[in-house]
Amino acid sequence: MSFQFAHYNYNVKNLEKSMQFYKEALGLEEVKRKEAEDGSFVLVYLGDGKTGFQLELTWLRDWEKDHYDLGDNEIHLAFTTEDMEAAHERHEKMGCICFENPEMGIYFISDPDGYWLEIVPEK
């Protein structure tokens, strides 16, 4: 028996805003979508076009809070890039860099719901 990664989920308050962020910041595109017949939820799966891994964005119609409680926000996804300088410049212009660690050569960006995404150089 073996297991493979399939997807990771983030719940989002504004699906369109989140989808735009992930497209602009990381080049992720919609791969598939599932909508509840009663309109209570929408699931959108984003992919990078290179790997099979997907990020599932879940929008819940009846979510009443202003935000999701992310705790200490130590949980994050990591993305590699072959051009850290260009990536950093793009994210700096977007105003989404939330933490940098120059000693390690990495930094983090924050999406519209406060989820952190680590940017690391391709090895």
Side-chain angles (χ1 to χ4, degrees), residues 11 24 32-33 45 49 54 65 93 95 110:
N11 286 10
E24 183 179 348
K32 64 183 176 182
R33 174 183 293 246
Y45 296 84
Q54 296 175 353
K65 297 179 186 176
K93 285 180 183 175
S110 179

Side-chain angles (χ1 to χ4, degrees), residues 6-114:
H7 68 264
Y8 190 79
N9 169 262
Y10 281 160
N11 286 10
V12 299
K13 291 290 293 175
N14 183 318
L15 185 58
E16 290 73 27
K17 183 176 181 179
S18 292
M19 290 176 62
Q20 180 59 38
F21 171 84
Y22 282 98
K23 182 175 183 167
E24 183 179 348
L26 300 165
L28 302 184
E29 298 280 347
E30 183 174 337
V31 176
K32 64 183 176 182
R33 174 183 293 246
K34 178 177 180 169
E35 299 184 26
E37 288 185 26
D38 66 358
S40 62
F41 69 85
V42 177
L43 308 177
V44 173
Y45 296 84
L46 304 178
D48 61 15
K50 297 176 187 168
T51 67
F53 186 83
Q54 296 175 353
L55 175 59
E56 173 190 340
L57 301 180
T58 299
W59 173 83
L60 302 170
R61 178 191 63 204
D62 298 328
W63 185 260
E64 296 177 2
K65 297 179 186 176
D66 291 340
H67 64 281
Y68 287 97
D69 182 359
L70 303 182
D72 293 332
N73 205 14
E74 288 296 322
I75 298 169
H76 62 271
L77 289 177
F79 290 83
T80 61
T81 181
E82 73 285 352
D83 192 340
M84 285 292 284
E85 187 175 322
H88 189 277
E89 184 177 315
R90 172 186 295 174
H91 296 143
E92 196 168 50
K93 285 180 183 175
M94 291 177 66
C96 61
I97 296 175
C98 57
F99 180 77
E100 297 188 61
N101 188 328
E103 294 80 29
M104 292 181 68
I106 64 170
Y107 66 93
F108 289 80
I109 61 176
S110 179
D111 85 351
D113 290 281

